[in-house]
C-alpha cells in the first residue's frame, strides 16, 4: 500500500512539473525569398532554436505582401495554427514587378492585415523589416549602401509602434553589417547569377547563419518569453539547404541558379544516367516560355515542389496558326508551338502544370505537351489545353512509351492523341466542351495504344451534346478504359468512326467495368469490345510498357 501511494505521489509530482513547463511554441515564417531556407535567413535562424521548438517556413520566392495573400499562401499559413508568425515583405512590393508591386498605401494596408489576421487567430505577430539589398551605388565609397527598402522598413516600424507589435530590426542591422564588410566583403555570401554577376539580394550558404543570428538576437529582445528557447550559438554553423541537393533550381525571382526553365535545360549535361539523373527543381510561379528537352539530354528530371502543381505553371498561348518569328510568312509547326517539346528519352516530370491557353472556337492545334522520346514519366502533373492538349507520340513507327500517374488532362477535341503507347494510371480526364477525348493513331504492330487504368472522367457544364471516348486518327487506333468512373455526358455509343465505316473493322476500342452514369456497355457501338475478366490481367503498366528493356515506372 505504501508503495502504491509513493507511485501515485511521484506521478502527481511529474504532472505538476509538466504543468509548470511551458509548451514549446510553433513559429511560422512568412515572407519572400530572402526568408526562405535556400536563398534567405530561414535555415540559419532555425539553427538558433532549442529542442522542441517547431519552425515552419512558408515563405515563397517572388512574393509581395499582396501576392502572398491573393494566391492563397497566407490562408495556408494561418491554417497551421502557429503561436508566433514572423512576417517580412518588401522586396517584391517595390515598383517594376507586375502583379506584385504595391503602392505605399497598399503595402501599409496589407502589412496591417497580417497583424490583424494573426491576432484574430489568437497568435502573436512579429514584424520583420526587410533584409537590406546590398546596393553599393557610390563607386567612391564601397562601404555605403543606398537602401531602396528603407521606406518600406519605416512603414513596418510605424505599424509595430502603432499596434504594439514585436519588431525585428533586420533591415538596419543587416545594412550596418554589410557596410562594415564593404562591397568586396559581401561577395562571400552573395550567390552568383546566371551571367556570372553577383546577386546583391539573396544569400548563399555562407550567409544563412550570419543573418539568421541577427533575427534570433532581435527576437530574443522583442519577445522575452522566447528568450530561453533561443540559443546563443547555432546548432550547425554550416547548414545545407534541401534545395542544394538539386543540380539546378529555377526561380523567376532570381533566387535559384536560373530564372527560366530553358536556361536550366541548356545548362544540363548530356551524360546523365539512370543512376545519376540531372534533377532540376522548379520553384512555384508562372513561366511563359516554350521549353525544349533535346534528344541528346536523357535522364532529366523536371520537378515542381510537392503539392505545387497548380502554382508551378509552364504556359504558352501559341498554336499552329501563330506566325513563326524565325521564318517570315510561315506559321509555327505543332512541335514549335507546343508549350513543352520533349524529344529526349528517360525524361521525368513531377508536380508541374503544362498549359496552352489557346481556346479558339475554330479548330486549331494548340499543344500543351508534345512528346517523342521513349520511357517518359509524369507524376502529379496537369496538362491544360483545348484542342490536342497532349501528344504522347511514337514517330516513324518506333516504340515510344509514356506513363502518367495521378495527372490531370483537360481539353475539348482530340486532347489526348497520336501514336505512342501510354498508360494513364489513376488520372483525372476533364472534358471542357463537346468533343472527343482520344484520337489515337496506334500502328497496327503495336499491341497497346492508350490505356486508362482506374481513371475519373468528368465533364464541364459547357458539355451539351456529349463527349466521345475516342475516334481513330489512324485505322488501327487502340484505346482501352479499365475500371474508369465516367460522368453522365459521355455519349452512350462511346466511340466514333471519324466518318469512315472502314475504321470500324480495324480500330481496337475496349472497356472493362466502367462505372458511373456514363458507363453504358449495352449502348456502346457494336464494333467496340467489353473485356472479360480473363483479358484484364494483361493490362498493367509493367506489362504494357515493359518492352524488351523491362521498364517499369509504375512505382512513383
Amino acid at each position: 500500500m505504501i508503495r502504491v501511494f509513493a507511485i501515485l505521489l511521484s506521478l502527481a509530482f511529474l504532472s505538476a512539473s509538466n504543468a509548470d513547463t511551458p509548451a514549446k511554441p510553433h513559429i511560422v515564417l512568412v515572407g519572400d525569398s530572402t526568408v526562405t531556407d535556400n536563398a534567405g535567413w530561414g535555415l540559419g535562424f532555425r539553427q538558433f532554436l532549442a529542442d522542441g521548438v517547431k519552425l515552419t517556413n512558408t515563405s515563397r520566392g517572388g512574393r509581395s505582401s499582396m501576392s502572398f495573400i491573393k494566391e492563397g499562401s497566407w490562408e495556408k499559413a494561418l491554417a497551421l495554427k502557429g503561436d508566433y508568425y514572423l512576417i517580412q515583405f518588401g522586396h517584391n512590393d517595390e515598383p517594376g514587378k507586375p502583379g506584385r508591386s504595391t503602392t505605399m498605401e497598399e503595402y501599409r494596408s496589407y502589412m496591417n492585415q497580417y497583424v490583424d489576421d494573426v491576432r484574430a487567430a489568437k497568435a502573436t505577430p512579429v514584424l520583420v523589416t526587410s533584409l537590406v539589398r546590398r546596393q553599393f551605388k557610390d563607386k567612391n565609397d564601397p562601404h555605403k549602401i543606398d537602401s531602396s527598402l528603407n521606406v518600406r522598413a519605416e512603414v513596418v516600424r510605424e505599424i509595430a509602434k502603432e499596434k504594439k507589435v514585436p519588431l525585428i530590426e533586420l533591415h538596419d542591422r543587416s545594412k550596418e553589417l554589410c557596410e562594415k564588410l564593404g562591397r568586396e566583403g559581401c561577395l562571400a555570401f552573395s550567390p552568383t547569377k546566371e551571367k556570372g554577376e553577383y546577386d546583391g539580394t539573396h544569400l548563399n550558404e555562407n550567409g544563412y547563419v550570419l543573418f539568421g543570428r541577427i533575427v534570433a538576437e532581435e527576437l530574443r529582445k522583442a519577445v522575452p518569453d522566447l528568450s530561453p528557447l533561443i540559443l546563443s550559438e547555432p546548432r550547425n554553423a554550416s547548414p545545407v539547404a534541401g534545395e542544394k541537393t538539386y543540380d539546378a533550381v529555377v526561380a523567376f525571382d532570381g533566387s535559384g541558379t536560373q530564372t527560366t526553365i530553358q536556361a536550366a535545360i541548356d545548362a544540363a549535361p548530356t551524360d546523365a544516367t539512370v543512376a545519376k539523373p540531372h534533377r532540376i527543381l522548379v520553384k512555384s510561379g508562372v513561366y511563359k516560355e516554350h521549353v525544349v528537352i533535346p534528344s541528346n539530354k536523357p535522364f532529366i528530371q523536371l520537378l515542381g515542389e510537392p503539392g505545387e502543381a497548380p502554382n508551378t505553371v509552364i504556359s504558352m498561348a501559341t498554336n499552329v496558326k501563330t506566325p513563326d518569328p524565325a521564318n517570315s510568312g510561315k506559321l509555327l509547326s505543332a512541335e514549335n508551338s507546343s508549350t513543352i517539346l520533349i524529344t529526349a528519352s528517360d525524361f521525368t516530370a513531377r508536380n508541374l502544370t503544362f498549359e496552352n491557353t489557346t481556346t479558339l472556337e475554330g479548330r486549331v492545334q494548340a499543344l500543351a505537351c508534345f512528346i517523342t522520346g521513349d520511357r517518359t514519366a509524369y507524376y502529379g502533373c496537369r496538362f491544360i489545353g483545348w484542342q490536342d492538349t497532349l501528344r504522347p507520340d511514337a514517330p516513324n513507327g518506333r516504340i515510344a512509351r509514356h506513363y502518367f500517374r495521378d495527372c490531370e488532362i483537360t481539353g475539348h477535341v482530340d486532347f489526348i492523341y497520336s501514336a505512342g503507347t501510354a498508360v494513364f494510371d489513376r488520372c483525372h480526364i476533364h472534358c471542357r466542351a463537346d468533343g472527343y477525348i482520344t484520337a489515337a493513331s496506334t500502328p497496327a504492330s503495336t499491341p497497346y495504344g492508350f490505356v486508362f487504368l482506374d481513371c475519373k472522367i468528368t465533364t464541364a457544364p459547357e458539355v451539351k451534346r456529349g463527349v466521345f471516348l475516342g475516334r481513330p486518327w489512324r485505322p488501327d487506333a487502340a484505346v482501352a478504359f479499365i475500371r474508369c468512373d465516367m460522368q453522365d455526358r459521355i455519349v452512350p455509343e462511346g466511340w466514333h468512326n471519324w466518318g469512315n465505316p472502314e475504321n470500324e473493322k480495324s480500330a481496337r476500342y475496349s472497356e472493362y467495368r466502367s462505372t458511373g452514369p456514363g458507363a453504358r456497355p449495352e449502348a456502346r457501338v457494336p464494333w467496340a469490345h467489353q473485356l472479360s475478366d480473363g483479358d484484364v490481367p494483361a493490362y498493367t503498366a509493367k506489362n504494357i510498357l515493359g518492352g524488351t528493356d523491362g521498364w517499369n515506372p509504375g512505382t512513383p
Side-chain angles (χ1 to χ4, degrees), residues 491-513:
V491 173
E493 303 97 294
W495 308 92
H496 192 280
N497 65 12
W498 209 315
N500 183 1
E502 287 299 308
N503 286 332
E504 299 176 8
K505 301 175 183 178
S506 53
R508 295 166 288 169
Y509 287 151
S510 57
E511 292 177 72
Y512 176 76
R513 292 192 179 180

Side-chain angles (χ1 to χ4, degrees), residues 185-483:
C186 290
L187 297 182
F189 51 77
S190 299
T192 304
K193 294 184 179 182
E194 290 177 60
K195 296 182 180 179
E197 68 268 28
Y198 283 99
D199 180 344
T201 298
H202 303 102
L203 304 174
N204 64 21
E205 59 274 13
N206 297 321
Y208 296 162
V209 168
L210 187 64
F211 292 93
R213 181 188 294 275
I214 294 176
V215 176
E217 291 174 351
E218 289 287 309
L219 183 60
R220 186 185 291 115
K221 292 187 298 181
V223 186
D225 288 350
L226 290 177
S227 182
L229 302 175
I230 298 174
L231 307 176
S232 58
E233 293 300 324
R235 296 170 172 276
N236 182 349
S238 302
V240 177
E243 291 178 14
K244 299 298 182 183
T245 62
Y246 297 93
D247 298 293
V249 177
V250 179
F252 71 90
D253 67 337
S255 60
T257 56
Q258 282 90 18
T259 56
T260 67
I261 295 168
Q262 192 60 55
I265 298 299
D266 292 345
T270 58
D271 59 354
T273 65
V274 64
K276 196 178 187 318
H278 189 76
R279 302 172 72 241
I280 301 172
L281 174 66
V282 182
K283 302 290 285 184
S284 62
V286 178
Y287 299 85
K288 294 188 176 182
E289 55 178 307
H290 170 58
V291 175
V292 178
I293 315 294
S295 59
N296 67 335
K297 294 191 175 185
F299 296 105
I300 284 180
Q301 296 184 356
L302 203 58
L303 311 170
E305 296 171 295
E308 287 297 313
N311 300 315
T312 311
V313 183
I314 308 171
S315 179
M316 290 292 284
T318 48
N319 55 70
V320 294
K321 293 184 179 180
T322 300
D324 186 345
N327 294 286
S328 179
K330 294 187 177 182
L331 302 176
L332 289 174
S333 64
E335 292 91 335
N336 292 332
S337 65
S338 62
T339 300
I340 185 168
L341 172 62
I342 302 159
T343 62
S345 293
D346 301 294
F347 171 81
T348 300
R350 294 179 186 269
N351 307 315
L352 296 170
T353 292
F354 304 97
E355 174 186 70
N356 192 308
T357 58
T358 300
T359 55
L360 300 178
E361 289 302 324
R363 294 183 178 182
V364 58
Q365 286 185 298
L367 284 74
C369 183
F370 192 141
I371 316 162
T372 62
D374 187 22
R375 296 184 301 271
T376 72
Y378 310 82
Y379 304 94
C381 291
R382 301 166 72 235
F383 302 84
I384 311 299
W386 185 247
Q387 179 175 333
D388 297 359
T389 304
L390 175 62
R391 181 170 179 165
D393 207 349
N396 303 318
R398 65 178 175 79
I399 294 294
R401 296 158 291 172
H402 317 287
Y403 180 70
F404 302 83
R405 167 74 176 266
D406 298 319
C407 291
E408 177 183 354
I409 303 114
T410 76
H412 156 45
V413 173
D414 305 336
F415 61 95
I416 304 173
Y417 79 110
S418 208
T421 298
V423 170
F424 300 87
D425 192 349
R426 282 161 276 189
C427 292
H428 176 198
I429 314 301
H430 183 65
C431 312
R432 298 174 63 182
D434 297 326
Y436 309 85
I437 296 174
T438 67
S441 56
T442 322
S445 59
T446 301
Y448 304 96
F450 299 156
V451 178
F452 297 82
L453 300 176
D454 304 293
C455 293
K456 184 176 182 66
I457 301 171
T458 60
T459 55
E462 291 76 14
V463 173
K464 303 301 182 184
R465 296 188 302 274
V467 174
F468 287 89
L469 298 177
R471 59 179 179 172
W473 189 22
R474 296 291 183 270
D476 297 291
V479 181
F481 286 87
I482 311 295
R483 299 181 300 271

Side-chain angles (χ1 to χ4, degrees), residues 106-129:
E106 289 171 334
Y107 179 67
R108 182 183 294 274
S109 176
Y110 283 118
M111 295 305 288
N112 270 303
Q113 180 179 338
Y114 285 106
V115 171
D116 296 342
D117 287 352
V118 171
R119 285 178 168 168
K122 309 298 183 187
T124 300
V126 180
L127 292 175
V128 185
T129 57

